[in-house]
Amino acid sequence: MKLFAKIVLGTVLAVTAIVAVVLIGARFADGPLEIIAGGPFTSGEPQLAVPSDWSFVKDMETIEFQSLEPPRSRTVWVLVHEGRLFIPSGYMDSAWGRIWKQWPIEAERDGRIITRIDGKLHNHNLVRLREGSMLKPLLEQLSRKYMGGQPIPEAAVASGALWLFELTPRA
């Protein structure tokens, strides 16, 4: 029995060490590693002008963005409505969501970000959307694109379970 306990403990410690190395190492990477937050962008072509119409992003599943404070990058879902660019963040009313997803909370403090789409870097501000006529079409698009058509009520935004951010140009 002691040998079995030592093997289990050794395995748990090894897996924990590997996960820690990956998570810490990702902070030095040029961008995120899929769902793992990465370091600041070190590649990409800076763009002086932000597109006025983001329709070309409509069919993309995800984009990358980097916050300026703290300087971390991540991969996020993306929505486009009437040529405007939006990022949703779900599970914000759960303890797990609040632990795993720090970027929305950080974005409320400092919304300056850089997106990297097709190797091009654009400066933006994230502005949280809490109400308005945009909610219904954005929730319908989020439902179709990512939730298999399952309806998302506007109450999800009002309750804080779902946060929506619009990306606006930053000088």
Side-chain angles (χ1 to χ4, degrees):
M1 190 64 173
K2 284 185 175 183
L3 178 61
F4 178 73
K6 286 181 180 180
I7 291 171
V8 169
L9 180 61
T11 302
V12 168
L13 290 174
V15 168
T16 302
I18 291 168
V19 168
V21 166
V22 168
L23 290 175
I24 292 168
R27 300 298 170 138
F28 299 99
D30 173 24
L33 305 172
E34 294 301 324
I35 64 168
I36 300 171
F41 297 144
T42 58
S43 67
E45 181 184 334
Q47 303 295 298
L48 295 177
V50 174
S52 59
D53 184 353
W54 287 95
S55 296
F56 69 95
V57 177
K58 187 174 90 171
D59 294 327
M60 291 182 181
E61 290 291 318
T62 60
I63 63 168
E64 297 177 329
F65 85 81
Q66 174 203 318
S67 55
L68 297 187
E69 193 55 45
R72 277 194 296 254
S73 57
R74 62 224 5 103
T75 303
V76 292
W77 289 351
V78 62
L79 304 170
V80 176
H81 181 67
E82 295 178 351
R84 295 161 59 186
L85 192 57
F86 299 87
I87 296 175
S89 180
Y91 305 108
M92 294 305 297
D93 61 343
S94 70
W96 176 248
R98 292 267 179 160
I99 291 169
W100 181 254
K101 292 185 172 188
Q102 290 295 303
W103 73 261
I105 297 162
E106 295 164 354
E108 281 212 305
R109 284 194 300 264
D110 184 351
R112 296 173 301 150
I113 67 163
I114 302 167
T115 58
R116 181 166 61 185
I117 302 169
D118 292 333
K120 293 180 171 51
L121 303 173
H122 300 279
N123 292 320
H124 300 275
N125 285 313
L126 285 175
V127 178
R128 187 169 171 197
L129 182 65
R130 298 173 189 260
E131 57 187 20
S133 61
M134 297 294 286
L135 285 184
K136 186 175 180 179
L138 286 171
L139 294 175
E140 288 171 354
Q141 185 182 152
L142 180 63
S143 170
R144 277 191 313 273
K145 192 170 180 180
Y146 299 107
M147 310 302 286
Q150 181 178 348
I152 303 168
E154 288 186 37
V157 176
S159 71
L162 173 65
W163 291 17
L164 291 168
F165 290 92
E166 182 173 6
L167 283 73
T168 61
R170 178 170 51 89

